[in-house]
């Protein structure tokens, strides 16, 4: 338990709060005019320059009585940004260890010093609290709006939280967008964001639901690096009953300001006291590996609300999915029907198109392969009526989530799967039609319970209905949360694609076992990903929760099996690495069984890699360049190592000093065959999309250092077993 | 079965379709440029001038493929108003009698001639159908969009249906408004609408959800009268999965054009072929009584979908309601709490305000009175948690529809009511928060089933959530319909206040037993109604379905029992008349038991008047001036007569020739005591708000003519029983 370390200056209104190890210091200052602000020092130097705090209320808030106490004009009454007095402060410390239901480790330490300042606007007889928590790896703060008669219901016009950078830092960013997160990252200086935004935003041209936010607005989590080598990461935690935050850069002052997602009317948030904003988080480390090791976001979230979590279990799965994404098969059953009316369209009278992937025979083939290879579940997309016209029509009653196609025998297939020891995984594509999904939710979950499904992948592809709302606004965030809570009543786990990027709510609601909410593996079939994509995602997208990235693609040349000419700029070892570097309690082996069948030696790693971890070590890391992580199996003494690269070939150097001293292990290494590639290049006969790999075994121990070469976009994976 | 009476001209493209009796003739013409139009003749003279038809599509429709067949510019592709060719026409006749589950008569004849024209736009390879049905009392027509590859999904920017008046007719209108219908009527010439609109619209100043539509936009049903004494009434039938229509007047040409209710984005309708628009209806009669007798709207609706309707029964009820509306009591339990969080706010710890009307003791008192006086049900408002802050806060989770206040014992009160032979009536005020209501709907209906409620009054007071949507847009109309259909699964009847004015859907879904959806009796406590209000509503608001007007107020001076100084400009006989003139399967005796107790002689009429009718006769009628109707009880040979007035005193003259010839009857007449009033006026001591009434009996038969004087805002009611 840390001592009460936060101190107030004898005079004036400057307050400080240090991290437990003292290296980070949060400074709270009241600026002239009663403007609250903060700054942060790291290792004795300012790292976050003075940044203002507050919110601007919408004029419709005036319907409430809170202006009555005021003598000033109504315009000022809408400002929760100035005219404050510091009327109270409390300091405390906290140091506990908690156990997540699933995660990168079995225990997490939550250790911080806290400073809560009460700010009162005497002119309006109202007050707010700003609560700061200072950790060894960063700062979190939130606004609290206590119950009070002169601040009751109010509407937010904009939140005005600043994050003032003290230099033209390097940034890895994606454009602010109210409806899609599926961008490749741009790496640039802050000063270049404006000029590079049009090109970055143009990536969304094919995304049916893009709504770019502003000329210098970017999404969080935002990874930054100063010229001094300090890594700053900005995000939020516990975003519940609130819109998702973007950051808008003033590129004269290098100050970011919060920019919330608007609703259909352009309003930002509807609040009722007592209520808190999400935590705004500033992770500060001197080492990129510490950024990956940080649990700041989870620690700021509330402990789990569920009394029984025994039904929540990580899942390794395959899917009748990649064949449709790649174009080999289809979600839809027939090509006869261009306009479906559920309950009226009689599928038994239509002609099957012969390419519908989710048919009984094909599904059984996948079940056989998945069961024979130790997988837990099989996802099947395209099992239900409605796929003929599901996309791009702003359709309200688009799916009913309960009626299978004629060639999908839901009862028999579940029986068959259970007999073989696996479950099927449900799929609820909502097409953004949230009211429709909620109307069918109970029936859909009851169907799942009836047939023994315990997990569902949900999707929100396309613009949100009710029309005018956005994927990340308060209204829709409320919907995603509603689904998670309803699912828990049915002991169902949820993996929500296209929902808002997570903010650590999975601590409180651990049946939220995943989101996509970023550009995933599927984009290899639709425009491609950058080689360094999976070496930035753990810094950014994964800050708030795991990503269902769907790795494990073995056939890199799609033209060999579909009409799609896309090429996957990755390697098999690079794909294997992702099972370690892209933490997820849901791990998919995304490719087709026949592609794995050709490489059962490499596939062995996917079969072996666990989904539950005891502890993790971050060995090498640089945003968008490389990541190397080692994790210990929760259920054995084995360790697993993964390393991904970026645009550049490299040699990874890792010490295995995390192994038990004095113990002997055998390492099985799945690596890029850089020698074979070099040789072929020299001979003028370079390899095509499919690069060679080499599997070797080696005796190792805690004194071993490995040096492994890696191709651009490649990587390696290692299984380390005690002898 | 009428002969195929519709004919086409030998040359050109003029088609006609007469009513079965030939007095109304619909003319369909293709104007230059391929613009479809219609006109209507009545008794050989044009009554509706040439009026164009069509729709304009929204540019987002271009996402679909329907422009691909065209050679013209994309701009023309959005017009479904021109460039048509008449490529087909079909004529037919129809003559059937059907029995409504409830209504003003036990049988309704549906007799019309029909003309369906197929209109094709060759440039875009797409076609629509306009179907006309011509009745002896008017015309209905709708657009049909058949399934076709070049018209699949489309968005409506505006519907461009014209209703060209051929003169500056007299009109009884209320302002077009996307969120409220609770206006007093304005009586004016069409040319005066623009000038009178600001004053008319200003009535909504206190209505939290008004959104006035446009400077000459009015609501339907719109009642008109030509200088020749022809009554025209414009409305719509079967408005389902479509936005509600307003009419916008071009006051140079005296042409109304349809003006649909926009959604949050300003879009008007989202369509998927095959789909039909609602019927646009033009009632044409030479006698106002025929306007009231017309069943045009119901006849255009589809027959009932329910296989079992035995659970749907008209209801006579009282309510713990007027005491709150008048201000005597409160809906809310406590004044301690200004901000409720359901499930967190602990009402057992708050101080009851002592005025909460829905408490056990008070409710039992009402149950006793209602049961002792033969009522079927007792409505109770304010029974459930959440009323302390329910209004005006844009609150999402405002009610849960299942948790009673501490002083409302839901189990015991239902037991008590059932023991006394009546049911309680449920109340679901949604506060416009439609997603919240849908989330709780199943639990709310299950609770009703558990405790033996079979009917619910719903409300939508305040702006609609999802925010930005409107009460009468397609999105919200879909919600109201969803509630009705879900209620039917639980054998529950629905009375939806503040929902869209009805369009005859109660024929198809007969558990929709009422709406308010106009300015009701409650406004006597909040600004007042005009004396002629109940003499216009049957022409307008009641065209599409019954109104839960909540009549039966006996104490006209509210200051005698509350702090409210409102005075009701009506009389007891005028209130009794409403049970006959304002048809509703739901009839409320709205006042407090103690006010009835003082006038049990007059109250007897309310006890006697049935809610199920065999047949109805419309004896006298002029919009906003007077209405006299006689109806025969479905379950006996008794007749009931009601007459309401307007601003002017009058003498009602009615022949009782509807009685069985040669049979003797006793009439009990409840009338304004005009003699006593005249005497008091002459003596310089006029009566206050409460006017005297006189009850007399008289032997009558089919040859009797009654002459009854009526006060301004008054009326009379008569029970006629066979001797």
């Amino acid at each position: 338990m840390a001592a009460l370390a936060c101190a107030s200056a004898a005079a004036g209104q400057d307050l400080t709060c240090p991290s437990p190890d003292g290296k980070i210091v949060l400074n709270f200052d009241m600026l002239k005019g009663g403007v609250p602000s903060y700054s942060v020092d790291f290792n004795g130097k300012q790292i976050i320059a003075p940044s203002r705090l507050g919110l601007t209320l919408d004029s419709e808030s005036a319907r409430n009585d809170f202006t009555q106490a005021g003598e000033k004009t109504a315009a000022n009454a809408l400002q929760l940004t100035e005219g404050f007095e510091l009327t109270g402060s409390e300091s405390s410390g906290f140091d506990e260890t908690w156990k997540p239901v699933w995660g990168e480790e079995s225990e997490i330490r939550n250790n911080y010093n806290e400073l809560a300042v009460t700010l009162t606007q005497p002119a309006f007889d109202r007050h707010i609290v700003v609560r700061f928590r200072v950790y060894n790896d960063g700062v979190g703060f939130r606004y609290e709006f206590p119950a009070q008669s002169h601040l009751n219901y109010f509407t937010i016009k904009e939140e005005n939280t600043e994050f003032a950078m003290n230099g033209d830092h390097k940034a890895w960013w994606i454009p602010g967008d109210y409806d899609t997160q599926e961008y490749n990252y741009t790496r640039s200086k802050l000063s270049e964001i404006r000029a590079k935004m049009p090109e970055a935003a143009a990536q969304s041209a094919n995304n049916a639901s893009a709504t770019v936010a502003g000329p210098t607005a970017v999404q969080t989590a935002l990874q930054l690096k100063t010229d001094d080598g300090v890594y700053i990461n900005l995000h939020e935690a516990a975003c519940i009953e609130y819109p998702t935050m973007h950051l808008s850069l003033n590129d004269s002052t290098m100050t970011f300001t919060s920019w919330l997602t608007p609703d259909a009317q352009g309003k930002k948030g509807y609040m009722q006291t007592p209520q808190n904003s999400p935590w705004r988080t500033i992770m500060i480390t001197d080492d990129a590996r510490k950024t990956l090791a940080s649990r700041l976001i989870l620690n700021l979230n509330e402990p789990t609300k569920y009394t029984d979590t025994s039904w929540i279990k990580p899942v390794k799965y395959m899917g009748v999915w990649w064949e449709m994404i790649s174009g080999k098969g289809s979600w839809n059953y027939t090509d006869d029907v261009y306009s479906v009316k559920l309950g009226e369209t009689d599928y038994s009278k239509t002609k099957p198109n012969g390419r519908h992937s989710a048919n009984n025979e094909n599904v059984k083939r996948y079940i056989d392969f998945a069961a024979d290879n130790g997988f837990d579940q099989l996802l099947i997309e395209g099992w239900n009526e409605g796929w003929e016209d599901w996309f791009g029509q702003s359709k309200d009653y688009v799916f009913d989530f309960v009626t299978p196609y004629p060639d999908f025998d839901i009862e028999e297939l579940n029986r068959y799967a259970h007999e073989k020891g696996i479950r099927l995984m449900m799929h609820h594509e909502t097409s953004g039609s949230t009211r429709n999904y909620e109307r069918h939710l109970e029936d859909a979950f009851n169907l799942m319970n009836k047939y023994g499904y315990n997990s569902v992948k949900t999707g929100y592809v396309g613009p949100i209905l009710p029309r005018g709302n956005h994927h990340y606004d308060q209204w829709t965030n409320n919907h995603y949360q509603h689904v998670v809570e309803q699912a828990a009543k049915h002991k169902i786990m949820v993996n929500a694609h296209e929902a808002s990027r997570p903010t650590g709510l999975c601590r409180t609601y651990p049946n939220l076992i995943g989101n996509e909410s970023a550009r995933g593996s599927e984009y290899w079939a639709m425009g491609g990903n950058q080689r360094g994509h999976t070496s930035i995602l753990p810094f950014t997208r994964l800050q708030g929760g795991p990503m269902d990235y769907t790795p494990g693609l073995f056939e890199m040349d799609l033209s060999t099996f579909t009409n799609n000419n896309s090429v996957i700029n990755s390697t098999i070892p690079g794909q294997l690495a992702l099972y370690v570097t892209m933490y997820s309690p849901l791990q998919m082996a995304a490719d087709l069984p026949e592609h794995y069948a050709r490489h059962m030696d490499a596939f062995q790693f996917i079969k072996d890699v666990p989904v539950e971890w005891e502890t993790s070590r971050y060995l090498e890391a640089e945003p968008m360049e490389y990541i190397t992580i080692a994790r210990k199996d929760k259920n054995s003494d084995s360790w697993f190592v993964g390393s991904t690269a970026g645009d550049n070939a490299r040699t990874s150097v890792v010490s295995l000093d995390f192994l038990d001293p004095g113990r002997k292990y055998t390492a099985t290494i799945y690596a890029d065959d850089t020698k074979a590639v070099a040789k072929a290049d020299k001979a003028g006969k370079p390899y095509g999309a499919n690069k060679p790999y080499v599997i070797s075994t080696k005796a190792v121990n805690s004194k071993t250092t490995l040096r492994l070469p890696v191709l651009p976009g490649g990587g390696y994976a290692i299984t380390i077993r005690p002898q």
Side-chain angles (χ1 to χ4, degrees), chain A:
Chain A
M1 176 79 181
L4 293 176
C6 300
S8 24
Q13 293 185 326
D14 296 345
L15 299 167
T16 64
C17 186
S19 58
D21 67 4
K23 292 185 180 177
I24 293 177
V25 179
L26 177 285
N27 305 292
F28 175 80
D29 303 300
M30 292 297 293
L31 304 178
K32 192 171 123 166
V35 174
S37 81
Y38 74 98
S39 62
V40 184
D41 301 333
F42 181 54
N43 287 334
K45 285 174 58 173
Q46 194 174 69
I47 188 74
I48 304 294
S51 302
R52 292 172 295 186
L53 296 165
L55 294 90
T56 302
L57 307 187
D58 187 273
S59 58
E60 74 175 44
S61 301
R63 66 176 177 275
N64 302 308
D65 68 352
F66 65 72
T67 59
Q68 292 174 10
E71 293 167 347
K72 297 195 180 170
T73 66
N76 285 355
L78 296 175
Q79 294 300 328
L80 276 176
T81 50
E82 57 190 29
F84 282 106
E85 288 177 12
L86 177 66
T87 52
S89 76
E90 282 187 13
S91 302
S92 61
F94 190 87
D95 193 354
E96 282 186 16
T97 300
W98 59 280
K99 293 183 186 308
V101 175
W102 43 260
E104 298 178 69
E105 53 274 307
S106 61
E107 273 194 1
I108 295 174
R109 185 180 183 194
N110 189 7
N111 180 215
Y112 59 82
N113 287 324
E114 178 176 290
L115 170 66
V117 295
T118 302
L119 307 174
T120 303
Q121 284 178 319
F124 305 106
D125 189 25
R126 63 190 183 201
H127 61 282
I128 68 175
V129 172
V130 186
R131 186 175 306 273
F132 298 90
R133 288 185 181 165
V134 189
Y135 290 77
N136 289 341
D137 52 20
V139 176
F141 64 87
R142 70 180 180 194
Y143 301 97
E144 300 179 358
F145 307 98
Q148 53 191 292
S149 53
H150 290 120
L151 192 63
N152 180 2
Y153 286 90
F154 61 97
T155 305
I156 299 173
K157 182 176 179 179
E158 188 58 272
E159 184 183 323
N160 309 110
T161 305
E162 291 182 336
F163 306 83
M165 302 297 110
N166 62 0
D168 189 8
H169 305 329
K170 192 182 213 172
W172 292 264
W173 56 275
I174 55 176
D177 192 309
Y178 304 143
D179 286 288
T180 183
Q181 297 148 134
E182 297 179 355
Y183 289 96
N184 273 310
Y185 278 78
T186 299
R187 167 185 16 201
S188 80
K189 292 204 158 263
L190 292 176
S191 59
E192 298 172 299
I193 288 177
R194 185 182 296 272
K196 290 183 180 291
M197 182 65 77
E199 183 185 349
Q203 297 176 55
S204 69
N206 292 329
N207 193 312
S209 54
T211 323
V212 177
T216 60
V218 298
Q219 301 192 24
T220 71
L222 176 68
Q223 183 65 54
L224 303 157
K225 184 178 180 182
T226 73
D227 291 342
D228 297 336
V230 178
Y231 295 86
I232 302 169
N233 188 295
L234 306 177
H235 192 39
E236 53 177 325
C239 181
I240 195 164
E241 206 47 51
Y242 204 83
T244 300
M245 177 180 73
H246 307 264
L247 298 172
S248 180
L249 179 70
N250 176 328
D251 47 6
S252 305
T253 62
M254 294 305 160
T255 296
F256 283 107
T257 306
S258 52
W259 173 309
L260 303 179
T261 305
D263 71 4
Q265 294 186 295
K267 312 290 183 183
K268 303 274 179 148
Y270 285 78
M271 307 287 280
Q272 177 193 1
T273 63
Q275 191 170 348
N276 304 328
S277 75
W279 296 92
R280 278 72 187 83
T281 60
I282 306 169
M283 207 180 278
I284 302 166
T285 74
D286 54 11
D287 185 326
R289 295 172 295 177
K290 293 181 186 171
T291 300
L292 298 180
S294 172
R295 296 292 166 264
L296 179 65
I297 306 292
L298 288 179
N299 275 331
L300 287 166
N301 272 269
E302 293 297 302
T304 189
K305 288 190 178 294
Y306 303 153
T307 46
D308 170 24
T309 58
S310 62
W311 50 277
I312 301 170
K313 295 195 179 319
V315 168
K316 202 189 289 183
Y317 73 104
M318 296 186 68
V320 179
W321 172 77
W322 184 239
E323 42 176 284
M324 295 94 85
I325 294 281
S326 64
K328 177 173 189 275
S330 71
W331 286 268
N332 52 302
Y333 173 77
T334 178
D335 296 336
D336 276 5
V337 175
Y338 50 81
S339 182
V340 174
K341 296 211 175 188
L342 294 170
E344 295 172 35
T345 302
D346 185 350
Y347 280 95
S348 70
K349 295 195 163 65
T350 64
K351 181 161 155 265
N353 64 13
R355 297 178 306 113
H356 175 232
S357 298
N359 66 73
N360 291 319
E361 187 186 328
N362 198 35
V363 170
K364 282 189 172 177
R365 188 171 68 84
Y366 274 81
I367 289 171
D368 288 344
F369 187 90
D372 291 347
N373 287 287
F375 284 81
D376 301 307
Q377 302 204 4
L378 178 71
L379 165 74
I380 301 144
E381 296 198 1
W383 66 275
N384 53 330
E385 289 191 359
W387 286 94
E388 285 69 21
D389 64 348
W390 72 287
F391 176 71
Q393 306 298 353
S394 192
K395 193 175 181 185
D396 187 351
Y397 184 26
V398 59
F399 289 110
D400 71 11
F401 311 96
V402 296
T403 308
Y405 276 131
D407 59 352
F408 186 89
D409 186 337
I410 191 169
E411 183 170 357
E412 166 58 15
L413 291 171
N414 276 283
R415 186 207 66 73
Y416 186 80
H418 298 163
E419 190 179 73
K420 304 216 74 176
I422 75 166
R423 287 187 201 249
L424 299 187
M425 180 183 288
M426 179 49 77
H427 182 230
H428 290 164
E429 175 56 58
T430 72
S431 206
S433 188
T434 62
R435 176 174 73 176
N436 179 61
Y437 186 36
E438 289 195 21
R439 283 179 176 175
H440 292 92
L441 205 58
E442 188 65 10
D443 287 349
F445 286 158
N446 284 336
L447 185 88
M448 287 178 66
N449 288 149
K450 174 177 176 181
Y451 289 116
Y453 293 82
N454 72 349
S455 70
V456 57
K457 168 182 173 179
T458 64
Y460 295 87
V461 175
I464 292 293
L465 275 71
R467 300 176 185 100
N469 281 98
H470 295 295
H471 280 74
Y472 320 129
D473 66 19
Q474 179 186 25
W475 186 261
T476 311
N477 280 347
N478 173 296
H479 163 78
Y480 304 136
Q481 181 62 26
H482 175 76
V483 170
V484 168
E485 293 185 33
Q486 293 303 112
K489 295 178 186 176
H490 292 262
K491 294 185 163 36
I492 284 170
M493 300 181 277
V494 177
N495 166 22
H497 284 223
E498 295 87 31
S500 302
R501 52 234 180 240
T503 59
L505 290 170
C506 61
R507 176 178 180 191
T508 319
Y509 306 95
N511 64 316
L512 176 60
I513 54 170
N515 292 96
E516 188 191 41
S517 309
R519 192 178 180 96
S521 195
E522 68 188 4
Y523 270 82
W524 285 123
M526 312 185 291
N529 293 331
Q530 293 166 313
R531 288 194 169 115
H533 192 57
T534 51
S535 296
I536 184 60
L537 287 175
F539 287 95
T540 53
R541 165 60 186 79
L542 269 63
Q543 284 301 349
M547 178 177 176
D548 184 33
Y549 180 76
T550 68
L553 296 171
F554 275 20
E555 175 49 70
M556 306 311 181
D557 181 353
L558 270 63
S559 72
T560 61
F561 65 103
T562 83
N563 288 332
N564 189 325
N565 287 328
S566 299
V567 158
I568 303 171
N569 286 330
S570 183
T571 69
I572 287 178
Q575 289 289 304
L576 298 179
L578 297 174
Y579 291 89
V580 181
T581 63
M582 291 278 290
Y583 168 69
S584 178
L586 274 175
Q587 285 292 13
M588 187 181 191
D591 214 327
L592 317 183
E594 47 266 41
H595 295 161
Y596 292 129
R598 298 203 291 249
H599 300 283
M600 291 305 286
D601 54 355
F603 191 57
Q604 188 61 44
F605 181 82
I606 298 179
K607 294 173 64 170
D608 291 342
V609 72
V611 282
E612 295 187 280
W613 303 109
E614 178 63 34
T615 190
S616 300
R617 297 278 188 273
Y618 303 87
L619 305 178
E620 297 176 304
E622 183 60 19
M624 218 158 170
E625 303 295 331
Y626 51 85
I627 292 178
T628 307
I629 301 176
R631 306 193 196 269
K632 186 178 182 194
D633 183 8
K634 192 167 192 174
N635 300 310
S636 78
D637 287 339
S638 296
W639 284 79
F640 294 77
V641 184
S643 185
T644 59
D647 286 330
N648 302 312
R650 64 182 297 265
T651 298
S652 168
V653 180
V654 288
S655 158
L656 303 185
D657 61 5
F658 50 81
L659 298 175
D660 294 343
R663 198 167 179 185
K664 295 183 185 177
Y665 297 83
T666 303
T668 307
I669 304 170
Y670 304 76
D672 294 331
D673 191 345
T674 52
K675 289 203 173 80
V677 168
K679 187 170 168 186
D681 286 347
K682 198 164 165 186
K685 295 178 181 175
Y687 283 91
N690 289 302
K691 304 287 189 285
Y693 59 92
V694 57
I695 303 174
S696 57
T697 55
K698 190 182 167 96
V700 299
N701 58 42
S702 64
K703 296 192 195 304
T704 307
T705 295
L706 295 175
R707 287 178 176 70
L708 293 163
V710 168
L711 291 170
Y716 63 81
I718 311 176
T719 307
I720 304 178
R721 284 200 183 82
Q723 282 179 5

